[in-house]
């Protein structure tokens, strides 16, 4: 009986590992450091070692394991290949094939943001939904699209790269991707700070934001205290994000839209203002699509990775 | 051996029917009128009759038929149900179930624009591709999204409703859907005329568009003759459409983007200008995604409908 599986979430500094039951119960989680020396040559062998050690510790045989799922920061295609992963110092790698050779277990790989969306759709904020959009609002804006319960990887592993949707054709500053006017420039933690800085420079108005360090958190904290200037910044953020989500909904018409990532810790006030702006622009039959907060936090990746193989 | 199938494309005035080999060869096509009297009660029985007549004529038994696929103008969900179809005077209908009962054959149903996309992905402009976006530029703007070779119907049958992506938050006029700033207001035949009318009113410049009847075709004809004012209209159209397609590509990252519908008959000059604007806004790894013209024309619907059942 294939009763267990592993979900692995590879980051630039640490690798999160989870041992799951195939029904989605997390039995145990732990971390190992990411060794990016030598073009990251040790990363997959280190994962294989920690899996084998855990199997020994728990007296699990290969026959009891449905497989190993792996989330990786980069454009993984549907076959588990990646052309490069900058944060891991990787060039081309056939992740799933290498992992199968290293462990003798079935292995599958996906992009980390996509895999997180799958985790949230499996056991998180969109549990039970098979059509989901997850927008991850962190340092950048990532995303994952789930259709019929599966990740949309896309032809170049760029499925769910919603942070680079062009939402402002008039934008003069450049995004990290080289384009101008990306959603990431408006709705990431750094994007919100950018919008706030512009607003502070363009206005003489007093604001809580003129005191202390400026961050996405300080903007939402001030917004919650009815700071007017912060309110204008949040309105801009929400208008860009809400309208973008409404456009994405015209494409895949999800059951649920999730907001995750560090910025989403601002919680209900953030969710509400995004939902308000979403409704304005959404196609009539999608106006009531719920916008919810992701709930699995940093564990979304290991959950989704596990789901790849069970 | 299931060697044949039927592809049916239901329109408001006529129903296109195709008898196909399961390999995609169109054996014969014909049309019957759409009887929308009596809440369209005769539509499905009429289709069942014409199918049975064709089977008799061709001496085909049920055992030889893999099924009947049906494309319908309205929000069909993944189970083949529709809440209403305005152009057919239909209220709620479980299309596939009713058709199975009427014919004794396997039946499946989809939205007509989605089904056309499936047809183009099967035997048309995107033959062989399993990730496709089709934008149908007609009286309105419709669309279809194909992921892993299958239609994305969405949670409310609104998958691929790309004509209602909000591309202009500043738009004052209303779209038929009740929103303001929809892609359909910029990139449909009527949308292009609307843009042209604004440009003609706002400028004293002479133009071929000031003579004869104004239509999407006359705009593109004048554009091909280097008419400056028409050029500005086409630039606006292409900027809206190209940027919208770039956003959609961030969501599903297709192998091919297709342009179909009556407006796309303007051909290569239209394709080129849309591709140019698409490239400006597209995520780097999607910039070279080819934008092609659809090729099946009015037959895309019967091809795609047939593909639903084979």
């Amino acid at each position: 009986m294939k009763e267990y599986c592993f979900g692995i979430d590879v980051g630039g500094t640490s690798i999160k590992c989870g041992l799951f039951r195939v029904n989605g119960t997390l039995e145990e989680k732990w971390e190992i450091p990411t060794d990016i020396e030598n073009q990251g040559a040790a990363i997959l062998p280190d994962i294989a070692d920690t899996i084998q050690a855990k199997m020994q510790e728990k007296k699990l045989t290969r026959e009891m394991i449905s497989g190993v799922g792996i989330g990786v920061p980069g454009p993984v295609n549907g076959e588990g290949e990646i052309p490069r992963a900058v944060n891991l110092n990787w060039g081309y790698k056939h992740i799933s094939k290498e992992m199968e050779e290293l462990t003798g277990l079935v292995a599958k790989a996906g992009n980390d943001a996509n895999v997180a969306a799958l985790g949230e759709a499996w056991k998180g904020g969109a549990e039970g939904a098979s059509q989901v959009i997850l927008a991850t609002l962190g340092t950048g804006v990532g995303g994952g699209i789930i259709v019929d319960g599966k990740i949309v990887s896309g032809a170049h592993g760029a499925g769910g790269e919603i942070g680079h949707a062009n939402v402002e054709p008039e934008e003069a500053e450049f995004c990290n991707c080289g384009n101008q006017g990306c959603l990431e420039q408006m709705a990431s933690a750094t994007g919100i700070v950018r919008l706030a800085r512009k607003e502070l420079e363009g206005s003489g108005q007093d604001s809580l934001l003129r005191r202390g360090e400026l961050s996405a958190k300080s903007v939402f904290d001030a917004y919650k205290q009815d700071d007017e200037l912060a309110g204008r910044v949040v309105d801009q953020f929400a208008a860009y994000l809400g309208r973008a989500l409404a456009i994405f909904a015209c494409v895949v018409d999800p059951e649920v839209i999730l907001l995750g990532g560090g910025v989403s810790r601002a919680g209900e006030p953030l969710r509400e203002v995004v939902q308000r702006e979403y409704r304005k622009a959404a196609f009539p039959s999608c106006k009531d699509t719920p916008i919810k907060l992701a709930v699995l936090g940093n564990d979304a990746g290991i959950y989704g990775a596990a789901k790849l193989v069970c």
Side-chain angles (χ1 to χ4, degrees), chain A:
Chain A
M1 258 286 284
K2 306 285 189 194
E3 231 181 307
Y4 295 89
C5 61
F6 290 95
I8 311 291
D9 183 14
V10 184
T13 53
S14 73
I15 299 168
K16 296 187 187 68
C17 308
L19 171 64
F20 288 82
R21 298 261 177 178
V22 291
N23 68 5
T25 309
L26 176 57
E27 291 282 314
E28 199 175 324
K29 62 174 178 172
W30 68 100
E31 292 191 17
I32 60 172
T34 310
D35 178 1
I36 58 171
E37 298 291 300
N38 252 320
Q39 285 84 52
I43 293 175
L44 293 182
D46 285 352
I47 294 171
D49 286 349
T50 195
I51 285 174
Q52 272 146 356
K54 187 59 67 181
M55 286 170 66
Q56 221 155 24
E57 178 198 327
K58 299 279 181 182
K59 301 192 172 42
L60 302 175
T61 63
R62 275 195 204 144
E63 291 63 41
M64 297 162 77
I65 311 287
S66 70
V68 184
I70 310 169
V72 162
V76 183
N77 70 13
E79 275 71 52
E81 296 167 290
I82 196 166
R84 82 206 72 78
V86 180
N87 297 342
L88 308 180
N89 286 335
W90 279 359
Y92 169 85
K93 218 172 248 306
H94 196 147
I95 306 165
S96 52
K97 188 161 156 269
E98 284 191 37
M99 187 51 70
E100 290 192 347
E101 286 166 5
L102 286 163
T103 59
L105 296 167
V106 171
K108 291 196 175 154
N111 166 270
D112 55 356
N114 291 349
V115 162
L118 187 62
E120 291 284 349
W122 191 31
K123 294 288 165 185
E127 185 169 346
S130 47
Q131 328 285 343
V132 179
I133 295 175
L134 168 67
T136 306
L137 314 173
T139 314
V141 171
I145 312 292
I146 306 298
V147 167
D148 289 340
K150 287 189 192 137
I151 287 170
V152 177
S153 305
H156 314 87
E161 278 291 358
I162 57 175
H164 301 283
N166 183 302
V167 296
E168 183 48 88
E170 309 296 326
E171 179 61 48
E173 291 179 33
F174 285 86
C175 179
N176 287 330
C177 79
N179 287 343
Q180 291 157 289
C182 291
L183 178 60
E184 179 159 305
Q185 292 179 277
M186 319 296 172
S188 64
T190 47
I192 293 167
V193 167
R194 203 181 66 93
L195 294 179
R197 199 159 279 143
K198 275 196 194 174
E199 195 65 33
L200 286 164
E201 282 165 12
S203 140
Q205 192 175 15
D206 190 31
S207 165
L208 295 169
L209 300 182
R210 297 197 189 274
R211 315 191 245 295
E213 206 185 333
L214 194 58
S215 67
K217 184 174 184 312
S218 73
V219 169
F220 276 97
D221 286 346
Y223 170 68
K224 291 172 193 173
Q225 292 172 64
D226 298 321
D227 185 275
E228 261 189 48
L229 193 145
R232 290 202 300 278
V233 176
V234 170
D235 282 349
Q236 285 170 47
F237 152 84
Y240 282 119
L241 179 57
R243 192 165 70 90
L245 293 173
I247 298 178
F248 307 154
C250 289
V251 180
V252 294
D253 181 18
E255 289 164 74
V256 184
I257 296 170
L258 289 179
L259 305 177
V263 173
S264 75
R265 284 194 216 116
E268 184 58 20
L270 172 142
R271 196 204 62 75
E272 254 176 31
V273 68
V274 174
Q275 174 121 25
R276 179 192 79 200
E277 295 300 316
Y278 167 82
R279 280 188 63 89
K280 284 187 197 168
F283 183 59
S285 52
C286 304
K287 279 195 195 290
D288 293 326
T289 300
I291 298 189
K292 296 183 180 181
L293 297 168
V295 300
L296 295 177
N298 290 333
D299 288 345
I302 56 172
Y303 273 91
K307 182 69 176 91
L308 288 175
V309 290
C310 66

